[in-house]
Amino acid sequence: MTLLINDNHSQLLAVIEKLKGEGIEKDVDLPKLVVCGEQKAGKSSTLEAISGLQFPADDALCTRFPTEITTEHGPYARLSATITPSSSRPQVEQEQMKTYWPKETSLDQLGSIIDQARKVLGVGGPRQPAFVNDILHIKASAPNLTQASITDLPGLFHGHGDHQNAEDGPLVREMVRSFIRQPRTIILAVLSAEIERTSQEITKMVSDEDPDGVRTLGIITNPDAAVKRPSRAASYVNLLLGNDRQKLVFGWHVIRNRDQQQLQDGISTAERDRFEAECLSQAPWNKVPTDRKGRPSLLIRLAEIMYFWTIKEAPGIIDDVERVADSYRHRLSQLRTSTTLGNEADVREKLFAVEHNFRDLLRQAISGHYSNPAFFSKKKVFQLRSQLEVYVERFETEINTSGTKLGFVNVDWKETDTKLDHPLGMAYDMWSAEIIQKMQERSIGIGPLKIDFVSDIFYDYTAPWPTLIQSLLESLCSETTTCLTHILHHVTGEQSALTSILKENLIDPEIARLHQEFSKSIHANVPAHSIRAPLMLSDREMDKVVRKGREIAQRIQVMNTIGKHFNIDVELTGKSWSTLRLPPTAIKSPADADTLRDTFVGHMDLERSASIEVIEAVLELYEREKRRMLGVLDFGSIQRHFLTPLSDVVPLNTFPKFAGQALKATEEDLDIRAQRTELTERLSILEQAVQELQALQGSCEDTCP
């Protein structure tokens, strides 16, 4: 018997099963029926009632792992099974389990097939886990089967048993939750009428995962045993009549499954339904409407629920399937394109033309003079010269703004400065104190400048330089590689394999060579931070540094001392001491200013004066070495050492030498061909499924509640 709501129902079920067959459920939450409940609540019997298959009576077999049953109406009785291994298993085990295929294909061998799967999964035996997360998929077809798909989960339990212990309980609970929390899953919560509803853990679990009760159908079993407790039976009847405070949108249903004796006798489905009808016609179950009791009406309800639920969820399913389809399209785009280039002579001739076009476009990219402006306007990456100019300008800016460890660069002391502080401000004073500490640590006394100490401070001050230089070189090489690769891809007719061969054998090695040679040239003309070689100052530079340092030290220290002495702010309007401005009460004539100066010069802090000379020497070195470095790395130098040599990166008649290698590489190997075929087929299935879902969604707008 196949229960279909309308003509679209069969097609809708087929689309969902087709998507399941693609293994898409790991990425897309598809509508499904899931049976859950306590152990001994009658889950497997409920599954049997819905599917029409007879399961083994031994719960140890079919409740140790999730079991998905798919049944369909067909002319012949047949059965197959597969395993979806848990991702937590080692890869070797996963591959072995994917090859599982049962020996039996007869419907009456279902118990044997489940037992085989248990052994393959290594569950339930001595020293084996009691439960596993792997999923057994059973697909059955027969003339008398109902079209359905439903998953049975291990039962919830507390305490110990023959094949389980209390420690397994949390694993089973999380396994059940992982299924029923999926937002498109219809939960079939099985409760035994023998036990109070509130005493059955599944009640709270379902309430947690489906708090609004919008996707749960409650199924009550063992109604014959409940009549021994009238109050308990009455409470379940109230559920069936919709009198519960926490109502389920899909409501409740009661069924009476085969008992142990009937299972042993192997009574037919017709006999089972007769016994059930007789039981449910008696009090108090006779109060329950016929559409809420018995197996036949349950099948109709499930068919309606799944049909309308799937149509309701169709927009989200379509979006999710499209997302997976996009991932397939991306993977296809990454596979090498199959290309027929002809024989080796044909390839060699083609490569002559490719090389000519490549050299022509490369020459234009380097010079910045475009005889083919349409091509070079497509992407900025083709405009190599202008792109490298941008990097050079950016490098100079970074040197001037981020090229020093202290976070500032040298600023000359202008005649217009009126404050006694050095233009570098507070950082200058802090730097001076740090240098004094280093001089003390290295036992450097007061006296002539120690050039090795000055060099060390300089290298500390310009610590960012090596990183900035390396970043510039890498950017130049990366941008050049990208430009040349794009040009190659264009002139080869976008043949990825041919582009890869020429890039790996010609472009990459040549750019690496240019990078190495240019690096040597740079490092020969800029300070060697790695070895911290001493940097020399000329006599003229040394005199300038000492004179300027002493002048700054005197100005800062004398003025600060005077200010503290008189408790006033002291200003100097120019470089001459005669411009010293003090309150009238402190000084009466310019001669007094000179006397005051001479008095306080004797109180000079010699360590501070020495540290300022070191700073001025470092700043002098900084200006000199920065000019030299920016000269080595200006665009003219880039052109001489990098761009001009780049024009000879491909000597004449080089491309044709790779004809044989190109021919071999462009002959697509079997593995890539198989991948493309599989992805293309799977993409076609997904695209067709999307179209069918969209059509079904549109046709059901007037019929869905």
Side-chain angles (χ1 to χ4, degrees), residues 136 209 363 451:
L136 173 65
E209 302 299 341
R363 176 184 53 78
I451 196 61

Side-chain angles (χ1 to χ4, degrees), residues 165-178:
N165 54 55
E167 288 74 19
D168 295 318
L171 170 66
V172 172
R173 292 185 188 91
E174 181 52 36
M175 188 188 305
V176 173
R177 285 187 182 275
S178 69

Side-chain angles (χ1 to χ4, degrees), residues 18 60 93 106 110 134 140 190 202 250 261 330 342 427 452 466 493 533 542 557 566 624 647 684:
K18 186 189 301 180
E93 290 186 14
S106 174
L110 178 59
D134 313 283
V190 179
I202 193 62
F250 297 140
Q261 186 60 50
H330 176 72
D452 56 340
M542 185 67 77
Q557 293 185 208
F566 291 104
R624 185 190 74 186
S647 60
S684 175

Side-chain angles (χ1 to χ4, degrees), residues 8 13 125 132 156 218 287 331 334 367 384 401 406 408 440 452 520 522 548 605 622 654 657-658 669 701:
N8 294 327
L13 291 173
V132 291
L156 303 172
K287 300 177 183 179
R331 288 169 61 187
Q334 301 301 304
S367 67
L384 181 59
T401 58
L406 298 181
F408 54 76
Q440 292 171 347
D452 56 340
K520 289 180 180 178
I522 293 171
K548 186 175 181 181
D605 183 340
Y622 170 81
T654 301
K657 296 177 182 178
F658 294 92
D669 59 59
E701 288 180 352

